[in-house]
Amino acid sequence: EKKLKKKFQTKLAPGSFQVIKNYLSHVILDRLCSYYSDDLPGFTVRQMIEKATVLDMKQFKNEAWKLIRKAKQSAFKNELFPEAIKALEIERIIIEYQDTKVYKESIADNLAEEKIIIEKHNNLTKYVHLHSEMSIMYRSNIIARNKQVIVFFNKMLKHPLLQDKSSALSYRASFLFFIIKSICYNYLGNTKNSFKYIQKLVNMLESTPMVSGSMKMYIRSLYLMAGLQSNLGKFTDSMQSVRKIKNIGNAYPQFAKSIPPQLSFTESVIIETDLYLRIPDYEVGVAQVPRIEAELKKFNYAIPKDTLLVLYYNLNLLYFGTGNYHKALYWLNKILNENKDEYVLDLICGARILFLIIHIELGNDDLLEYAAQSTLRYLTTRKRKYKVESIFLDLLKMIINPDRKKDL
């Protein structure tokens, strides 16, 4: 702190460390924006729009028009609809100073382009809203186990925007069309239909030239495809999809800067650990844990909470499969201790049941009675006490009661 104050005391308010911190934060952010500018088309387009506005203010009309057209074309290409609308707005201001003939032709083209862009933007917004509604439901429900969830996904599949791909008017809207269809079918237990739509999406992404903005969509699509391949027993294909996710930076080096390393790590490792559970090959899965832990130390802060909990759950199951109950409990406790906001509610309910099973295996009978009562309250208040859970808790009462153990 003293060194920073000394270095910047001539530029900034003396003695104010907060001012120095803010100044350095802005400097670092400016450098990061500059570094990533080639991979952030939105940032570049917005800069061009600002520069064109300044050129227009300084009466460099022709230069301003050339630059705003370039910004507009880049916005169209990358489907940056808000930026495209802003560029069209600035273009109208610039062309007001053109002669009558040029003005008439240019303003007609401008208004026609704006009509198309607004239509595409509104269409994309509708798909985004649909996807958000679905996300709220699937973040709390890993599988459809109650009537409300089943009705929700069936109703969503009947939505007019999900009847035909032609309803999606842009590349990003098409991406959401396939994603929503696939996830809905998966939740309803129709894995084959779910896989059909995700396969169409991957084919669409791989058959068109990749741009920086496509990378996250591509990784997400490969993640869903790998999971469905695993569900269908296509383990070799699933592992191949996992490798694609891991090597995506090498496959598309021109976009390497725009690929968050924690994203390719989490999307690949969740499917990879899930594969070891499904094959099953617990020992091989457990052998990967030191590597996974090393990666977690690097990316933990940047991994979404719900994703992190799914990974912990898989690691817990791998150790459970090998009979190492203490290690399984270590990962399970991370879920139960870190989950303050009830991310992925179904997963938390499953973790609580597993907590009881592990303590049965460890012979901790003295802990079971209280833990069973706590779990029963938790499941009941959250309306997650289904038939399987009820049967298990009834059997647990017999385990806890020494007089009834012989009845098992």
Side-chain angles (χ1 to χ4, degrees), residues 65 69 72 87-115:
W65 198 9
R69 279 185 291 188
K72 183 178 69 174
L88 288 163
E89 179 189 330
I90 300 299
E91 185 182 45
R92 282 197 295 276
I93 295 170
I94 294 169
I95 61 179
E96 281 181 4
Y97 294 90
Q98 302 298 320
D99 61 58
T100 303
K101 183 181 178 183
V102 173
Y103 175 79
K104 282 183 178 180
E105 292 174 355
S106 301
I107 200 69
D109 290 341
N110 178 286
L111 295 174
E113 287 171 337
E114 186 177 63
K115 184 179 178 181

PDB file of all heavy atoms in Angstrom, residues 65 69 72 87-115:
ATOM      1  N   TRP A  65     -19.434   8.115 -42.312  1.00  0.00           N
ATOM      2  CA  TRP A  65     -20.362   7.188 -42.985  1.00  0.00           C
ATOM      3  C   TRP A  65     -19.667   5.853 -43.294  1.00  0.00           C
ATOM      4  O   TRP A  65     -20.234   4.783 -43.109  1.00  0.00           O
ATOM      5  CB  TRP A  65     -20.896   7.831 -44.263  1.00  0.00           C
ATOM      6  CG  TRP A  65     -22.148   7.150 -44.777  1.00  0.00           C
ATOM      7  CD1 TRP A  65     -22.875   6.196 -44.140  1.00  0.00           C
ATOM      8  CD2 TRP A  65     -22.795   7.389 -46.009  1.00  0.00           C
ATOM      9  NE1 TRP A  65     -23.958   5.811 -44.894  1.00  0.00           N
ATOM     10  CE2 TRP A  65     -23.929   6.530 -46.064  1.00  0.00           C
ATOM     11  CE3 TRP A  65     -22.542   8.241 -47.087  1.00  0.00           C
ATOM     12  CZ2 TRP A  65     -24.797   6.502 -47.143  1.00  0.00           C
ATOM     13  CZ3 TRP A  65     -23.425   8.215 -48.163  1.00  0.00           C
ATOM     14  CH2 TRP A  65     -24.536   7.358 -48.200  1.00  0.00           C
ATOM     15  N   ARG A  69     -20.887   2.318 -41.548  1.00  0.00           N
ATOM     16  CA  ARG A  69     -21.302   1.174 -42.383  1.00  0.00           C
ATOM     17  C   ARG A  69     -20.497  -0.077 -42.033  1.00  0.00           C
ATOM     18  O   ARG A  69     -21.022  -1.190 -42.019  1.00  0.00           O
ATOM     19  CB  ARG A  69     -21.148   1.520 -43.870  1.00  0.00           C
ATOM     20  CG  ARG A  69     -22.325   2.337 -44.419  1.00  0.00           C
ATOM     21  CD  ARG A  69     -22.234   2.568 -45.906  1.00  0.00           C
ATOM     22  NE  ARG A  69     -21.142   3.458 -46.251  1.00  0.00           N
ATOM     23  CZ  ARG A  69     -20.932   3.955 -47.465  1.00  0.00           C
ATOM     24  NH1 ARG A  69     -21.727   3.611 -48.473  1.00  0.00           N
ATOM     25  NH2 ARG A  69     -19.926   4.770 -47.703  1.00  0.00           N
ATOM     26  N   LYS A  72     -21.900  -1.348 -38.833  1.00  0.00           N
ATOM     27  CA  LYS A  72     -23.212  -1.963 -39.104  1.00  0.00           C
ATOM     28  C   LYS A  72     -23.045  -3.370 -39.677  1.00  0.00           C
ATOM     29  O   LYS A  72     -23.710  -4.314 -39.233  1.00  0.00           O
ATOM     30  CB  LYS A  72     -23.977  -1.071 -40.085  1.00  0.00           C
ATOM     31  CG  LYS A  72     -25.385  -1.523 -40.411  1.00  0.00           C
ATOM     32  CD  LYS A  72     -26.069  -0.536 -41.351  1.00  0.00           C
ATOM     33  CE  LYS A  72     -25.435  -0.584 -42.739  1.00  0.00           C
ATOM     34  NZ  LYS A  72     -26.178   0.256 -43.723  1.00  0.00           N
ATOM     35  N   ALA A  87     -26.220   1.557 -34.661  1.00  0.00           N
ATOM     36  CA  ALA A  87     -25.460   1.949 -35.857  1.00  0.00           C
ATOM     37  C   ALA A  87     -26.388   2.526 -36.920  1.00  0.00           C
ATOM     38  O   ALA A  87     -26.056   3.523 -37.584  1.00  0.00           O
ATOM     39  CB  ALA A  87     -24.706   0.744 -36.407  1.00  0.00           C
ATOM     40  N   LEU A  88     -27.548   1.917 -37.102  1.00  0.00           N
ATOM     41  CA  LEU A  88     -28.527   2.412 -38.076  1.00  0.00           C
ATOM     42  C   LEU A  88     -29.040   3.799 -37.682  1.00  0.00           C
ATOM     43  O   LEU A  88     -29.275   4.663 -38.538  1.00  0.00           O
ATOM     44  CB  LEU A  88     -29.687   1.427 -38.196  1.00  0.00           C
ATOM     45  CG  LEU A  88     -29.356   0.121 -38.932  1.00  0.00           C
ATOM     46  CD1 LEU A  88     -30.410  -0.945 -38.643  1.00  0.00           C
ATOM     47  CD2 LEU A  88     -29.242   0.348 -40.429  1.00  0.00           C
ATOM     48  N   GLU A  89     -29.209   4.003 -36.392  1.00  0.00           N
ATOM     49  CA  GLU A  89     -29.663   5.315 -35.895  1.00  0.00           C
ATOM     50  C   GLU A  89     -28.635   6.396 -36.206  1.00  0.00           C
ATOM     51  O   GLU A  89     -28.978   7.494 -36.676  1.00  0.00           O
ATOM     52  CB  GLU A  89     -29.896   5.210 -34.386  1.00  0.00           C
ATOM     53  CG  GLU A  89     -30.343   6.501 -33.733  1.00  0.00           C
ATOM     54  CD  GLU A  89     -30.359   6.394 -32.213  1.00  0.00           C
ATOM     55  OE1 GLU A  89     -30.591   5.287 -31.680  1.00  0.00           O
ATOM     56  OE2 GLU A  89     -30.116   7.427 -31.557  1.00  0.00           O
ATOM     57  N   ILE A  90     -27.347   6.089 -35.944  1.00  0.00           N
ATOM     58  CA  ILE A  90     -26.278   7.057 -36.233  1.00  0.00           C
ATOM     59  C   ILE A  90     -26.166   7.286 -37.743  1.00  0.00           C
ATOM     60  O   ILE A  90     -25.920   8.411 -38.204  1.00  0.00           O
ATOM     61  CB  ILE A  90     -24.930   6.569 -35.663  1.00  0.00           C
ATOM     62  CG1 ILE A  90     -25.014   6.391 -34.137  1.00  0.00           C
ATOM     63  CG2 ILE A  90     -23.803   7.522 -36.031  1.00  0.00           C
ATOM     64  CD1 ILE A  90     -25.338   7.658 -33.369  1.00  0.00           C
ATOM     65  N   GLU A  91     -26.331   6.193 -38.520  1.00  0.00           N
ATOM     66  CA  GLU A  91     -26.251   6.318 -39.973  1.00  0.00           C
ATOM     67  C   GLU A  91     -27.313   7.293 -40.498  1.00  0.00           C
ATOM     68  O   GLU A  91     -27.039   8.093 -41.402  1.00  0.00           O
ATOM     69  CB  GLU A  91     -26.423   4.953 -40.634  1.00  0.00           C
ATOM     70  CG  GLU A  91     -26.222   5.010 -42.149  1.00  0.00           C
ATOM     71  CD  GLU A  91     -26.449   3.666 -42.815  1.00  0.00           C
ATOM     72  OE1 GLU A  91     -27.442   2.990 -42.473  1.00  0.00           O
ATOM     73  OE2 GLU A  91     -25.638   3.298 -43.678  1.00  0.00           O
ATOM     74  N   ARG A  92     -28.508   7.256 -39.924  1.00  0.00           N
ATOM     75  CA  ARG A  92     -29.569   8.179 -40.369  1.00  0.00           C
ATOM     76  C   ARG A  92     -29.179   9.632 -40.114  1.00  0.00           C
ATOM     77  O   ARG A  92     -29.490  10.517 -40.920  1.00  0.00           O
ATOM     78  CB  ARG A  92     -30.889   7.859 -39.652  1.00  0.00           C
ATOM     79  CG  ARG A  92     -31.606   6.666 -40.231  1.00  0.00           C
ATOM     80  CD  ARG A  92     -33.063   6.617 -39.805  1.00  0.00           C
ATOM     81  NE  ARG A  92     -33.226   6.407 -38.369  1.00  0.00           N
ATOM     82  CZ  ARG A  92     -33.213   5.213 -37.783  1.00  0.00           C
ATOM     83  NH1 ARG A  92     -33.036   4.119 -38.521  1.00  0.00           N
ATOM     84  NH2 ARG A  92     -33.377   5.106 -36.488  1.00  0.00           N
ATOM     85  N   ILE A  93     -28.519   9.878 -39.009  1.00  0.00           N
ATOM     86  CA  ILE A  93     -28.062  11.246 -38.701  1.00  0.00           C
ATOM     87  C   ILE A  93     -27.018  11.694 -39.723  1.00  0.00           C
ATOM     88  O   ILE A  93     -27.055  12.833 -40.213  1.00  0.00           O
ATOM     89  CB  ILE A  93     -27.477  11.306 -37.274  1.00  0.00           C
ATOM     90  CG1 ILE A  93     -28.565  11.017 -36.237  1.00  0.00           C
ATOM     91  CG2 ILE A  93     -26.815  12.661 -37.010  1.00  0.00           C
ATOM     92  CD1 ILE A  93     -28.045  10.829 -34.824  1.00  0.00           C
ATOM     93  N   ILE A  94     -26.113  10.788 -40.067  1.00  0.00           N
ATOM     94  CA  ILE A  94     -25.026  11.132 -40.997  1.00  0.00           C
ATOM     95  C   ILE A  94     -25.553  11.400 -42.403  1.00  0.00           C
ATOM     96  O   ILE A  94     -25.147  12.368 -43.056  1.00  0.00           O
ATOM     97  CB  ILE A  94     -23.970  10.001 -41.022  1.00  0.00           C
ATOM     98  CG1 ILE A  94     -23.272   9.898 -39.665  1.00  0.00           C
ATOM     99  CG2 ILE A  94     -22.943  10.226 -42.125  1.00  0.00           C
ATOM    100  CD1 ILE A  94     -22.401   8.661 -39.493  1.00  0.00           C
ATOM    101  N   ILE A  95     -26.468  10.549 -42.897  1.00  0.00           N
ATOM    102  CA  ILE A  95     -26.920  10.678 -44.295  1.00  0.00           C
ATOM    103  C   ILE A  95     -27.896  11.831 -44.511  1.00  0.00           C
ATOM    104  O   ILE A  95     -28.245  12.143 -45.655  1.00  0.00           O
ATOM    105  CB  ILE A  95     -27.542   9.361 -44.819  1.00  0.00           C
ATOM    106  CG1 ILE A  95     -28.762   8.969 -43.998  1.00  0.00           C
ATOM    107  CG2 ILE A  95     -26.517   8.255 -44.845  1.00  0.00           C
ATOM    108  CD1 ILE A  95     -29.434   7.690 -44.494  1.00  0.00           C
ATOM    109  N   GLU A  96     -28.298  12.494 -43.443  1.00  0.00           N
ATOM    110  CA  GLU A  96     -29.167  13.676 -43.616  1.00  0.00           C
ATOM    111  C   GLU A  96     -28.467  14.777 -44.411  1.00  0.00           C
ATOM    112  O   GLU A  96     -29.124  15.630 -45.014  1.00  0.00           O
ATOM    113  CB  GLU A  96     -29.578  14.221 -42.241  1.00  0.00           C
ATOM    114  CG  GLU A  96     -30.695  13.427 -41.587  1.00  0.00           C
ATOM    115  CD  GLU A  96     -31.086  14.015 -40.240  1.00  0.00           C
ATOM    116  OE1 GLU A  96     -30.528  15.080 -39.876  1.00  0.00           O
ATOM    117  OE2 GLU A  96     -31.932  13.409 -39.559  1.00  0.00           O
ATOM    118  N   TYR A  97     -27.133  14.739 -44.394  1.00  0.00           N
ATOM    119  CA  TYR A  97     -26.359  15.781 -45.067  1.00  0.00           C
ATOM    120  C   TYR A  97     -25.992  15.414 -46.502  1.00  0.00           C
ATOM    121  O   TYR A  97     -25.282  16.163 -47.169  1.00  0.00           O
ATOM    122  CB  TYR A  97     -25.092  16.087 -44.259  1.00  0.00           C
ATOM    123  CG  TYR A  97     -25.399  16.705 -42.922  1.00  0.00           C
ATOM    124  CD1 TYR A  97     -25.602  15.894 -41.803  1.00  0.00           C
ATOM    125  CD2 TYR A  97     -25.514  18.079 -42.769  1.00  0.00           C
ATOM    126  CE1 TYR A  97     -25.899  16.442 -40.566  1.00  0.00           C
ATOM    127  CE2 TYR A  97     -25.808  18.648 -41.537  1.00  0.00           C
ATOM    128  CZ  TYR A  97     -26.006  17.822 -40.439  1.00  0.00           C
ATOM    129  OH  TYR A  97     -26.305  18.374 -39.224  1.00  0.00           O
ATOM    130  N   GLN A  98     -26.453  14.250 -46.964  1.00  0.00           N
ATOM    131  CA  GLN A  98     -26.197  13.845 -48.348  1.00  0.00           C
ATOM    132  C   GLN A  98     -27.189  14.540 -49.274  1.00  0.00           C
ATOM    133  O   GLN A  98     -28.236  15.043 -48.838  1.00  0.00           O
ATOM    134  CB  GLN A  98     -26.312  12.325 -48.481  1.00  0.00           C
ATOM    135  CG  GLN A  98     -25.379  11.540 -47.571  1.00  0.00           C
ATOM    136  CD  GLN A  98     -23.918  11.820 -47.866  1.00  0.00           C
ATOM    137  OE1 GLN A  98     -23.516  11.945 -49.018  1.00  0.00           O
ATOM    138  NE2 GLN A  98     -23.106  11.915 -46.807  1.00  0.00           N
ATOM    139  N   ASP A  99     -26.859  14.546 -50.594  1.00  0.00           N
ATOM    140  CA  ASP A  99     -27.795  15.178 -51.533  1.00  0.00           C
ATOM    141  C   ASP A  99     -29.087  14.367 -51.599  1.00  0.00           C
ATOM    142  O   ASP A  99     -29.158  13.224 -51.155  1.00  0.00           O
ATOM    143  CB  ASP A  99     -27.164  15.327 -52.917  1.00  0.00           C
ATOM    144  CG  ASP A  99     -26.787  13.987 -53.533  1.00  0.00           C
ATOM    145  OD1 ASP A  99     -27.679  13.135 -53.694  1.00  0.00           O
ATOM    146  OD2 ASP A  99     -25.592  13.785 -53.827  1.00  0.00           O
ATOM    147  N   THR A 100     -30.115  14.930 -52.173  1.00  0.00           N
ATOM    148  CA  THR A 100     -31.475  14.368 -52.120  1.00  0.00           C
ATOM    149  C   THR A 100     -31.544  12.957 -52.679  1.00  0.00           C
ATOM    150  O   THR A 100     -32.150  12.057 -52.073  1.00  0.00           O
ATOM    151  CB  THR A 100     -32.451  15.268 -52.896  1.00  0.00           C
ATOM    152  OG1 THR A 100     -32.398  16.583 -52.347  1.00  0.00           O
ATOM    153  CG2 THR A 100     -33.875  14.731 -52.789  1.00  0.00           C
ATOM    154  N   LYS A 101     -30.905  12.721 -53.830  1.00  0.00           N
ATOM    155  CA  LYS A 101     -30.967  11.393 -54.451  1.00  0.00           C
ATOM    156  C   LYS A 101     -30.321  10.326 -53.553  1.00  0.00           C
ATOM    157  O   LYS A 101     -30.898   9.268 -53.316  1.00  0.00           O
ATOM    158  CB  LYS A 101     -30.270  11.434 -55.813  1.00  0.00           C
ATOM    159  CG  LYS A 101     -30.357  10.112 -56.564  1.00  0.00           C
ATOM    160  CD  LYS A 101     -29.638  10.186 -57.904  1.00  0.00           C
ATOM    161  CE  LYS A 101     -29.702   8.832 -58.615  1.00  0.00           C
ATOM    162  NZ  LYS A 101     -28.948   8.853 -59.890  1.00  0.00           N
ATOM    163  N   VAL A 102     -29.115  10.624 -53.077  1.00  0.00           N
ATOM    164  CA  VAL A 102     -28.400   9.676 -52.198  1.00  0.00           C
ATOM    165  C   VAL A 102     -29.188   9.475 -50.911  1.00  0.00           C
ATOM    166  O   VAL A 102     -29.302   8.345 -50.398  1.00  0.00           O
ATOM    167  CB  VAL A 102     -26.975  10.182 -51.888  1.00  0.00           C
ATOM    168  CG1 VAL A 102     -26.296   9.296 -50.845  1.00  0.00           C
ATOM    169  CG2 VAL A 102     -26.148  10.238 -53.164  1.00  0.00           C
ATOM    170  N   TYR A 103     -29.751  10.561 -50.389  1.00  0.00           N
ATOM    171  CA  TYR A 103     -30.515  10.476 -49.144  1.00  0.00           C
ATOM    172  C   TYR A 103     -31.707   9.536 -49.294  1.00  0.00           C
ATOM    173  O   TYR A 103     -31.942   8.676 -48.453  1.00  0.00           O
ATOM    174  CB  TYR A 103     -30.984  11.866 -48.711  1.00  0.00           C
ATOM    175  CG  TYR A 103     -31.879  11.832 -47.495  1.00  0.00           C
ATOM    176  CD1 TYR A 103     -31.336  11.684 -46.219  1.00  0.00           C
ATOM    177  CD2 TYR A 103     -33.260  11.927 -47.622  1.00  0.00           C
ATOM    178  CE1 TYR A 103     -32.145  11.628 -45.096  1.00  0.00           C
ATOM    179  CE2 TYR A 103     -34.082  11.870 -46.504  1.00  0.00           C
ATOM    180  CZ  TYR A 103     -33.520  11.715 -45.250  1.00  0.00           C
ATOM    181  OH  TYR A 103     -34.336  11.647 -44.140  1.00  0.00           O
ATOM    182  N   LYS A 104     -32.479   9.711 -50.375  1.00  0.00           N
ATOM    183  CA  LYS A 104     -33.670   8.882 -50.583  1.00  0.00           C
ATOM    184  C   LYS A 104     -33.315   7.400 -50.656  1.00  0.00           C
ATOM    185  O   LYS A 104     -33.964   6.557 -50.047  1.00  0.00           O
ATOM    186  CB  LYS A 104     -34.382   9.307 -51.869  1.00  0.00           C
ATOM    187  CG  LYS A 104     -35.207  10.569 -51.735  1.00  0.00           C
ATOM    188  CD  LYS A 104     -35.931  10.874 -53.046  1.00  0.00           C
ATOM    189  CE  LYS A 104     -36.807  12.111 -52.908  1.00  0.00           C
ATOM    190  NZ  LYS A 104     -37.516  12.422 -54.174  1.00  0.00           N
ATOM    191  N   GLU A 105     -32.278   7.096 -51.443  1.00  0.00           N
ATOM    192  CA  GLU A 105     -31.870   5.689 -51.592  1.00  0.00           C
ATOM    193  C   GLU A 105     -31.342   5.121 -50.267  1.00  0.00           C
ATOM    194  O   GLU A 105     -31.697   4.003 -49.865  1.00  0.00           O
ATOM    195  CB  GLU A 105     -30.783   5.580 -52.672  1.00  0.00           C
ATOM    196  CG  GLU A 105     -31.288   5.876 -54.085  1.00  0.00           C
ATOM    197  CD  GLU A 105     -30.156   5.909 -55.100  1.00  0.00           C
ATOM    198  OE1 GLU A 105     -28.987   5.792 -54.670  1.00  0.00           O
ATOM    199  OE2 GLU A 105     -30.436   6.050 -56.308  1.00  0.00           O
ATOM    200  N   SER A 106     -30.515   5.907 -49.606  1.00  0.00           N
ATOM    201  CA  SER A 106     -29.869   5.432 -48.379  1.00  0.00           C
ATOM    202  C   SER A 106     -30.855   5.289 -47.228  1.00  0.00           C
ATOM    203  O   SER A 106     -30.795   4.321 -46.457  1.00  0.00           O
ATOM    204  CB  SER A 106     -28.741   6.382 -47.977  1.00  0.00           C
ATOM    205  OG  SER A 106     -27.781   6.474 -49.007  1.00  0.00           O
ATOM    206  N   ILE A 107     -31.770   6.239 -47.107  1.00  0.00           N
ATOM    207  CA  ILE A 107     -32.724   6.173 -45.998  1.00  0.00           C
ATOM    208  C   ILE A 107     -33.697   5.013 -46.198  1.00  0.00           C
ATOM    209  O   ILE A 107     -34.115   4.363 -45.230  1.00  0.00           O
ATOM    210  CB  ILE A 107     -33.488   7.512 -45.828  1.00  0.00           C
ATOM    211  CG1 ILE A 107     -34.089   7.621 -44.405  1.00  0.00           C
ATOM    212  CG2 ILE A 107     -34.585   7.678 -46.860  1.00  0.00           C
ATOM    213  CD1 ILE A 107     -33.090   7.781 -43.314  1.00  0.00           C
ATOM    214  N   ALA A 108     -34.027   4.710 -47.455  1.00  0.00           N
ATOM    215  CA  ALA A 108     -34.919   3.578 -47.738  1.00  0.00           C
ATOM    216  C   ALA A 108     -34.239   2.263 -47.334  1.00  0.00           C
ATOM    217  O   ALA A 108     -34.861   1.396 -46.701  1.00  0.00           O
ATOM    218  CB  ALA A 108     -35.290   3.551 -49.214  1.00  0.00           C
ATOM    219  N   ASP A 109     -32.961   2.137 -47.704  1.00  0.00           N
ATOM    220  CA  ASP A 109     -32.201   0.929 -47.319  1.00  0.00           C
ATOM    221  C   ASP A 109     -32.067   0.837 -45.800  1.00  0.00           C
ATOM    222  O   ASP A 109     -32.208  -0.246 -45.210  1.00  0.00           O
ATOM    223  CB  ASP A 109     -30.801   0.969 -47.944  1.00  0.00           C
ATOM    224  CG  ASP A 109     -30.837   0.778 -49.456  1.00  0.00           C
ATOM    225  OD1 ASP A 109     -31.857   0.272 -49.960  1.00  0.00           O
ATOM    226  OD2 ASP A 109     -29.845   1.133 -50.112  1.00  0.00           O
ATOM    227  N   ASN A 110     -31.789   1.979 -45.181  1.00  0.00           N
ATOM    228  CA  ASN A 110     -31.601   2.022 -43.731  1.00  0.00           C
ATOM    229  C   ASN A 110     -32.860   1.555 -42.998  1.00  0.00           C
ATOM    230  O   ASN A 110     -32.793   0.713 -42.081  1.00  0.00           O
ATOM    231  CB  ASN A 110     -31.237   3.445 -43.312  1.00  0.00           C
ATOM    232  CG  ASN A 110     -31.059   3.609 -41.808  1.00  0.00           C
ATOM    233  OD1 ASN A 110     -32.024   3.626 -41.058  1.00  0.00           O
ATOM    234  ND2 ASN A 110     -29.816   3.742 -41.372  1.00  0.00           N
ATOM    235  N   LEU A 111     -33.999   2.073 -43.390  1.00  0.00           N
ATOM    236  CA  LEU A 111     -35.258   1.718 -42.722  1.00  0.00           C
ATOM    237  C   LEU A 111     -35.636   0.258 -42.958  1.00  0.00           C
ATOM    238  O   LEU A 111     -36.169  -0.408 -42.059  1.00  0.00           O
ATOM    239  CB  LEU A 111     -36.383   2.642 -43.196  1.00  0.00           C
ATOM    240  CG  LEU A 111     -36.221   4.129 -42.822  1.00  0.00           C
ATOM    241  CD1 LEU A 111     -37.306   4.967 -43.475  1.00  0.00           C
ATOM    242  CD2 LEU A 111     -36.245   4.317 -41.302  1.00  0.00           C
ATOM    243  N   ALA A 112     -35.338  -0.238 -44.172  1.00  0.00           N
ATOM    244  CA  ALA A 112     -35.616  -1.656 -44.471  1.00  0.00           C
ATOM    245  C   ALA A 112     -34.742  -2.572 -43.617  1.00  0.00           C
ATOM    246  O   ALA A 112     -35.208  -3.589 -43.082  1.00  0.00           O
ATOM    247  CB  ALA A 112     -35.385  -1.930 -45.956  1.00  0.00           C
ATOM    248  N   GLU A 113     -33.467  -2.187 -43.479  1.00  0.00           N
ATOM    249  CA  GLU A 113     -32.548  -2.982 -42.639  1.00  0.00           C
ATOM    250  C   GLU A 113     -32.987  -2.956 -41.176  1.00  0.00           C
ATOM    251  O   GLU A 113     -32.952  -3.980 -40.486  1.00  0.00           O
ATOM    252  CB  GLU A 113     -31.121  -2.436 -42.769  1.00  0.00           C
ATOM    253  CG  GLU A 113     -30.467  -2.759 -44.098  1.00  0.00           C
ATOM    254  CD  GLU A 113     -29.149  -2.035 -44.293  1.00  0.00           C
ATOM    255  OE1 GLU A 113     -28.928  -0.979 -43.645  1.00  0.00           O
ATOM    256  OE2 GLU A 113     -28.319  -2.523 -45.089  1.00  0.00           O
ATOM    257  N   GLU A 114     -33.408  -1.794 -40.723  1.00  0.00           N
ATOM    258  CA  GLU A 114     -33.834  -1.678 -39.332  1.00  0.00           C
ATOM    259  C   GLU A 114     -35.063  -2.545 -39.053  1.00  0.00           C
ATOM    260  O   GLU A 114     -35.158  -3.185 -37.990  1.00  0.00           O
ATOM    261  CB  GLU A 114     -34.149  -0.218 -38.987  1.00  0.00           C
ATOM    262  CG  GLU A 114     -34.454  -0.021 -37.515  1.00  0.00           C
ATOM    263  CD  GLU A 114     -34.688   1.442 -37.172  1.00  0.00           C
ATOM    264  OE1 GLU A 114     -35.655   2.032 -37.702  1.00  0.00           O
ATOM    265  OE2 GLU A 114     -33.912   1.976 -36.362  1.00  0.00           O
ATOM    266  N   LYS A 115     -35.973  -2.590 -40.006  1.00  0.00           N
ATOM    267  CA  LYS A 115     -37.179  -3.417 -39.836  1.00  0.00           C
ATOM    268  C   LYS A 115     -36.804  -4.891 -39.661  1.00  0.00           C
ATOM    269  O   LYS A 115     -37.338  -5.584 -38.786  1.00  0.00           O
ATOM    270  CB  LYS A 115     -38.095  -3.239 -41.052  1.00  0.00           C
ATOM    271  CG  LYS A 115     -39.416  -3.987 -40.932  1.00  0.00           C
ATOM    272  CD  LYS A 115     -40.288  -3.765 -42.150  1.00  0.00           C
ATOM    273  CE  LYS A 115     -41.590  -4.563 -42.032  1.00  0.00           C
ATOM    274  NZ  LYS A 115     -42.452  -4.377 -43.235  1.00  0.00           N
TER     275      LYS A 115
END
